[in-house]
Amino acid sequence: MTEAPIAAGKSSFDLVDASVLFDAMDLREDKVILDLACGVGNYALALAAHTGPGGTIHAVDLWEEGIAALRSAVAARNMVWIHPAVADISRRIPLDDDRVDVCLMATVLHDLKQDGTHTGTLNELQRVLKPLGTLAVVEFKKINGPPGPPLQVRLSPEETEALLEPFGFVPDRVVDIGPFNYLARFSLRL
């Protein structure tokens, strides 16, 4: 790969209240979770405490260096239930159909929309997420930053909903998870 994704190396994890986020995701130990466009895996590593070895976390990103860093962190912590993988999520998420209970897209949907890869990604997500599965979208509030992308790139909860609705995602709720971010939770209904 010659070019890193738009936000490679950046993470919103330290900006959010992770306990509020994870509570709103309704995590359980037996769930299969997908951290889509995971970067270095800050969210995946934190999610591991909620699933424990009874769950499975797939952490996927196009950024090879980020996945290499996550693989090292997973090995150092012996978190064998986290499965990092390099993939172009707009073309193919390396999972079987109807495999995922909960997908987390943390501050990535705006980037996918900006670079025009959201349609392919959402089609793939629709394929791997179980019917009635949960999609948890973390985005920056539509306020001037920093931190985060320029105002014109940010997605309001209403814009996020409009982007996801054609793919069968039904809004559940929006939760404030810090001064800069919100969580929009959806379920997949096909």
Side-chain angles (χ1 to χ4, degrees):
M1 185 180 123
T2 59
E3 188 175 320
I6 291 173
K10 300 176 183 174
S11 177
S12 58
F13 185 75
D14 292 333
L15 301 174
V16 305
D17 184 331
S19 64
V20 174
L21 169 64
F22 295 151
D23 285 348
M25 289 175 62
D26 292 331
L27 300 171
R28 292 198 309 255
E29 291 185 8
D30 62 341
K31 295 295 183 186
V32 174
I33 299 170
L34 172 59
D35 183 356
L36 203 55
C38 66
V40 296
N42 293 332
Y43 285 94
L45 293 167
L47 282 164
H50 291 270
T51 65
T56 302
I57 300 171
H58 297 280
V60 181
D61 200 287
L62 182 61
W63 186 40
E64 294 175 10
E65 293 85 357
I67 292 299
L70 178 56
R71 284 185 178 130
S72 294
V74 165
R77 295 176 172 110
N78 197 30
M79 293 179 164
V80 296
W81 62 98
I82 299 178
H83 305 280
V86 174
D88 181 344
I89 60 174
S90 70
R91 295 177 184 259
R92 177 95 177 138
I93 296 171
L95 295 172
D96 293 334
D97 294 0
D98 302 326
R99 177 78 179 112
V100 175
D101 295 298
V102 179
C103 175
L104 173 64
M105 292 179 69
T107 60
V108 68
L109 187 59
H110 66 269
D111 286 335
L112 297 172
K113 183 176 184 292
Q114 183 182 15
D115 71 14
T117 58
H118 64 286
T119 298
T121 301
L122 294 172
N123 280 325
E124 271 298 286
L125 181 54
Q126 187 182 60
R127 180 185 66 76
V128 301
L129 198 62
K130 292 178 181 177
L132 303 179
T134 299
L135 172 58
V137 177
V138 174
E139 275 299 331
F140 284 95
K141 294 176 183 176
K142 197 133 187 179
I143 57 175
N144 283 315
L151 184 63
Q152 68 272 16
V153 174
R154 296 175 186 230
L155 299 170
S156 68
E158 296 78 18
E159 290 168 320
T160 298
E161 181 179 333
L163 199 60
L164 294 172
E165 183 181 38
F167 297 90
F169 294 100
V170 177
D172 178 15
R173 61 181 156 153
V174 175
V175 179
D176 189 325
I177 56 171
F180 308 109
N181 301 92
Y182 67 89
L183 165 71
R185 198 173 104 168
F186 297 82
S187 62
L188 180 60
R189 306 244 163 91
L190 295 177

